């Protein structure tokens, strides 16, 4: 949590004083320069709020309070959507997205902080409170928070910078639509799997690794296959849906990006239960390694593509999808390794 606060201050300050550098790096057209400069103070605040609330959420997650974080996340998303649509209707255009995103993170920051303060008051007055347990929880949570922050900056955001630098903001917008469309589906499946952490702890205490193995097999049989079928259906339905949503423009780039990313996210979806089993074992180091492997593999694939002369926009999207596949196999490998050792 302390690391998240410190990192938010450093990054926000850097963004606030480096607007011209980012405009050059992103190749922002001249007609949008003034608007982008006006947004940078808000973006720096958004980054700070996002990182701090992410750190607090990681602490709550480490305590197993998914019933709170999941419900509040859904509530904040609904509030973000309503405000975004309202501001867009009122003519705020791109500002509607910025202000609705700030509202989303502010709501989560308030709700997470309030719950954490209540827990602190309860725990400190509780006779069985142990500093060693608190240290272990915060240590695990801080590592999870670090992995997510590192992934957000070094993979998600840096990938967008590279993409916009070489292919422009118009294609970046197409990528964002495709990426967020898949993300909406993926986030629902991800939130369904979060309680696996607590279940893994219970099963480990009751029946060891065999109980966990049977549990994961059951999850893949009942849930993952259903979601994969839904993803595959999306592959064929998305083109019709996007043309219905944006009928007055060429959506071929969005559709192509969506289908390529969807292949990678099918593997990513398959690996979600393994991720939460590893988290349930408290193996935060393996999760950090997975982010490092994902980062290195992504930029290595992009570099190889540039050497082979295939450094176009589709190759960049394929690189991201292939990175997701590699990461999925890594979690499967770690899971099998621990099960066999157990």
């Amino acid at each position: 949590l302390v690391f998240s606060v410190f990192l938010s201050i450093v990054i926000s300050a850097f963004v606030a004083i480096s607007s011209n550098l980012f405009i050059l790096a992103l190749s922002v057209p001249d007609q949008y320069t003034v608007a982008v400069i006006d947004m940078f103070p808000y973006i720096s605040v958004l980054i700070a709020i996002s990182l701090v609330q992410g750190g607090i959420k990681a602490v709550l997650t480490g305590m197993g309070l998914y019933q709170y974080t999941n419900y509040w996340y859904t509530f904040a998303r609904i509030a973000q959507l309503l405000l975004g649509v309202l501001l867009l209707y009122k003519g705020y255009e791109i500002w509607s997205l910025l202000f609705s995103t700030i509202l989303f993170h502010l709501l989560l920051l308030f709700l997470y902080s309030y719950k954490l303060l209540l827990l602190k008051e309860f725990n400190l007055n509780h006779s069985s409170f142990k500093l060693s347990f608190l240290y272990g929880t915060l240590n695990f949570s801080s590592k999870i928070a670090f992995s997510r922050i590192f992934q957000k900056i070094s993979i998600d955001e840096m990938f967008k910078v590279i993409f916009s630098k070489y292919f422009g903001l118009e294609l970046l917008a197409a990528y964002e639509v495709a990426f967020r469309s898949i993300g909406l589906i993926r986030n629902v499946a991800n939130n369904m799997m979060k309680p696996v952490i607590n279940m893994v702890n219970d099963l480990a205490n009751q029946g060891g690794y065999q109980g966990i193995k049977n549990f994961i097999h059951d999850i893949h049989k009942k849930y993952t296959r259903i979601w994969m079928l839904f993803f595959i259906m999306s592959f064929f339905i998305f083109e019709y849906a996007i043309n219905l949503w944006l009928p007055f423009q060429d959506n071929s780039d969005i559709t192509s990006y969506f289908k390529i990313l969807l292949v990678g996210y099918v593997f990513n979806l398959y690996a979600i239960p393994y991720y939460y089993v590893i988290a349930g074992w408290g193996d935060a180091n393996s999760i950090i390694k997975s982010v490092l492997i994902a980062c290195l593999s992504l930029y290595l694939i992009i570099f190889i593509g540039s050497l082979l002369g295939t450094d176009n926009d589709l190759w960049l999207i394929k690189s991201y999808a292939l990175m997701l596949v590699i990461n999925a196999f890594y979690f499967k490998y770690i899971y099998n390794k621990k099960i066999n050792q157990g």
Side-chain angles (χ1 to χ4, degrees):
L1 180 57
V2 174
F3 175 78
S4 299
V5 173
F6 173 75
L7 189 62
S8 69
I9 295 172
V10 173
I11 295 178
S12 300
F14 176 74
V15 170
I17 65 178
S18 306
S19 56
N20 292 329
L21 178 63
F22 278 93
I23 288 173
L24 290 174
L26 294 172
S27 302
V28 177
D30 293 338
Q31 63 266 33
Y32 301 121
T33 300
V34 175
V36 172
I37 291 176
D38 290 340
M39 287 182 177
F40 262 91
Y42 297 96
I43 293 174
S44 62
V45 172
L46 174 61
I47 291 173
I49 296 172
S50 174
L51 291 174
V52 174
Q53 70 90 358
I56 299 174
K57 180 183 178 182
V59 173
L60 294 176
T61 299
M63 294 179 176
L65 299 174
Y66 294 103
Q67 67 272 30
Y68 297 101
T69 57
N70 289 350
Y71 294 149
W72 290 338
Y73 182 90
T74 303
F75 168 74
R77 278 297 185 198
I78 294 173
Q80 178 189 12
L81 177 63
L82 293 176
L83 179 63
V85 171
L86 177 62
L87 293 178
L88 188 63
Y89 176 76
K90 293 292 185 179
Y92 282 87
E93 298 180 345
I94 189 64
W95 288 92
S96 63
L97 176 62
L98 179 61
F99 288 140
S100 61
T101 305
I102 291 175
L103 173 68
F104 168 74
H105 290 288
L106 272 176
L107 281 174
L108 291 182
L109 177 63
F110 171 77
L111 292 169
Y112 292 161
S113 300
Y114 178 73
K115 184 62 179 177
L116 188 64
L117 289 173
L118 291 180
L119 288 173
K120 180 182 178 182
E121 181 180 358
F122 171 78
N123 284 335
L124 289 176
N125 293 329
H126 200 278
S127 60
S128 62
F129 175 76
K130 295 181 180 180
L131 287 176
S132 59
F133 172 78
L134 178 62
Y135 173 78
T137 301
L138 294 178
N139 182 52
F140 171 78
S141 300
S142 63
K143 288 180 179 179
I144 297 295
F146 171 77
S147 68
R148 291 176 178 172
I149 293 168
F150 184 77
Q151 175 186 337
K152 184 74 174 176
I153 296 172
S154 65
I155 298 178
D156 297 340
E157 300 304 324
M158 188 57 65
F159 182 81
K160 293 177 187 177
V161 170
I162 294 173
F163 194 94
S164 63
K165 175 66 177 177
Y166 290 99
F167 305 110
L169 292 177
E170 184 176 348
L171 287 182
L172 177 64
Y175 165 76
E176 281 280 7
V177 172
F179 181 81
R180 291 182 180 276
S181 298
I182 295 177
L184 290 174
I185 305 171
R186 195 258 184 198
N187 284 341
V188 175
N190 184 58
N191 288 333
M192 287 179 62
M193 293 298 170
K194 284 183 178 179
V196 166
I197 291 183
N198 289 338
M199 296 178 186
V200 167
N201 287 329
D202 294 339
L203 289 169
N205 293 331
Q206 295 173 9
Y209 286 100
Q210 187 59 43
I212 295 172
K213 186 176 181 179
N214 294 336
F215 172 67
I216 293 300
H217 176 75
D218 188 56
I219 284 181
H220 275 297
K221 185 177 180 180
K222 292 183 178 179
Y223 297 102
T224 309
R225 292 179 183 178
I226 295 174
W227 278 105
M228 283 188 177
L229 179 62
F230 187 76
F231 266 52
I232 294 170
M233 290 174 57
S234 300
F235 185 91
F236 299 100
I237 296 173
F238 181 78
E239 185 173 1
Y240 171 78
I242 196 67
N243 287 329
L244 188 65
W245 181 38
L246 303 172
F248 303 113
Q249 68 178 56
D250 181 14
N251 299 312
S252 57
D253 290 323
I254 299 176
T255 303
S256 298
Y257 296 167
F258 179 87
K259 290 182 177 180
I260 294 171
L261 288 172
L262 193 64
V263 174
Y265 273 101
V266 166
F267 285 89
N268 179 264
L269 179 67
Y270 178 81
I272 286 177
Y274 299 128
Y275 170 88
Y276 283 114
V277 168
I278 293 169
W281 281 325
D283 189 4
N285 291 332
S286 290
I287 294 176
I288 292 176
K289 289 177 184 177
S290 74
V291 178
L292 294 174
I293 291 172
C295 183
L296 292 174
S297 62
L298 173 62
Y299 297 118
L300 180 60
I301 295 168
I302 293 174
F303 176 70
I304 292 173
S306 66
L307 293 179
L308 297 176
T310 57
D311 50 340
N312 51 46
D313 59 324
L314 290 180
W315 174 255
L316 224 59
I317 302 298
K318 290 176 182 177
S319 300
Y320 195 98
L322 187 55
M323 176 268 293
L324 293 172
V325 175
I326 293 172
N327 215 33
F329 279 110
Y330 170 78
F331 282 119
K332 174 67 172 176
Y333 165 76
I334 294 298
Y335 168 81
N336 287 337
K337 181 180 178 181
K338 286 188 173 293
I339 286 292
N340 293 332
Q341 289 176 348

